[in-house]
Amino acid sequence: MELKTKLTAMSFAAVLFGLFLAGVFLPDRDISTAERRKLAQSPDFSVQTLLSGKYADDLETYLLDQFPQRDRFRTLKAAWQFDVYRQKDNNGIYIAGGSVCKLDSQLKPEQVQAMADKTNSIYERYLQGMTVHFAVIPDKNYFAAAQNGYPAMDYAELDRLLQGGLNEAIQYHGTAPCKDLTLDDYYRTDLHWRQEHLQSVVENLAAAMDFTPPDWNAYTQAEHSPFYGAYCGQSALNVGYDALITLSSPATDASVVTGAEFTGEKAVYDPADLTALDGYDLYLGGANAILTVENPAGTTGKELILFRDSFGSSLAPLLLDSYDKITLIDLRYVSPDLLPQFVEFADQDVLFLYNTGIINAGMLLK
């Protein structure tokens, strides 16, 4: 055997042995910051799990999650897919206009109908006689997919399904409040929109819902950096980071946040939330079943109930000049049966505001 061949074989064996030792002696990680998820831990062994095959499946998942230098190998694979194979996406992640996006092109009528049915049920149980609106937030694919040769969701069909499925008493606005948005109004490394770019959205909602929009000159901006969005880790590429921008006004500074899942009061923007697994939690603390944001200095006498997903967390603070109290409800985390325990339905304005990713997964709602 030639010396070069021997050295190659020995080097390869050394690498494998090194990875084996690292896997044995390095401590397991609890979470993947890049992927924003918990990692599998060593499975418990039993004769029952062994015979059923569950132990083997769980062990495989554990070994994949805890593989040494896993994130670097993910980056290598992604770079290989894009730069060598010249593929247009890697596991559904693609880059267009300098922004990282995730494909979601398959419209699921049964999921959209589930969203409409859930909305109708809540309307019939709690909201009859109240002014109720429904609006759609387009995801980044709306601005990037078809324009760059990727499959795109049929928004016209989505509109048709929602208009036909929602109770006629609910005022449906579709994506009209977001008509002035572009891809640049979303974070480069994340799915969410940028709060400082939502003036047109707020003003369009104000025209549709008949409330007074805030004075944008009254806001001051604060930058919170770095913000590594959800797609930053999912892409496994070195795509840089964003800066979160918060808009503050006397109304946001005076308002207090209370919730069903924590005690006491919080600020509208709590810097401690920036260190959470998802930095977007800076806006109202992130995912919560029910939140109440109240401006004690408010003078409008108006209240809003906002059925929302995570996009609503950054929008709601911009409505605190228009409403003295805003109640945010996330139906992914609370059953409608429990709502009367936390919300008194009276004569509030009501807005259902959801991103297409949630509408196209309507069965997720409780």
Side-chain angles (χ1 to χ4, degrees), residues 269-312:
Y269 309 120
D270 186 347
D273 292 324
L274 189 62
T275 61
L277 199 58
D278 185 353
Y280 205 77
D281 288 356
L282 178 63
Y283 301 105
L284 299 183
N288 280 273
I290 299 176
L291 290 176
T292 299
V293 190
E294 195 159 3
N295 177 11
T299 59
T300 67
K302 294 171 66 71
E303 294 185 15
L304 172 69
I305 296 176
L306 177 61
F307 290 89
R308 56 87 181 213
D309 53 30
S310 54
F311 283 72

Side-chain angles (χ1 to χ4, degrees), residues 167-195:
N167 190 301
E168 292 182 355
I170 298 173
Q171 300 181 41
Y172 178 71
H173 304 288
T175 59
C178 304
K179 63 183 179 180
D180 301 312
L181 293 179
T182 69
L183 183 61
D184 291 336
D185 298 318
Y186 293 70
Y187 286 104
R188 286 189 317 102
T189 65
D190 198 65
L191 69 159
H192 292 103
W193 55 18
R194 305 179 65 96
Q195 187 189 54

Side-chain angles (χ1 to χ4, degrees), residues 205-249:
L205 284 173
M209 298 174 61
D210 193 25
F211 65 79
T212 303
D215 176 10
W216 285 85
N217 293 321
Y219 286 113
T220 57
Q221 294 190 10
E223 180 177 309
H224 310 268
S225 182
F227 168 55
Y228 294 94
Y231 295 159
C232 186
Q234 292 181 27
S235 73
L237 295 171
N238 183 18
V239 294
Y241 56 84
D242 287 295
L244 283 174
I245 304 295
T246 53
L247 297 183
S248 298
S249 68

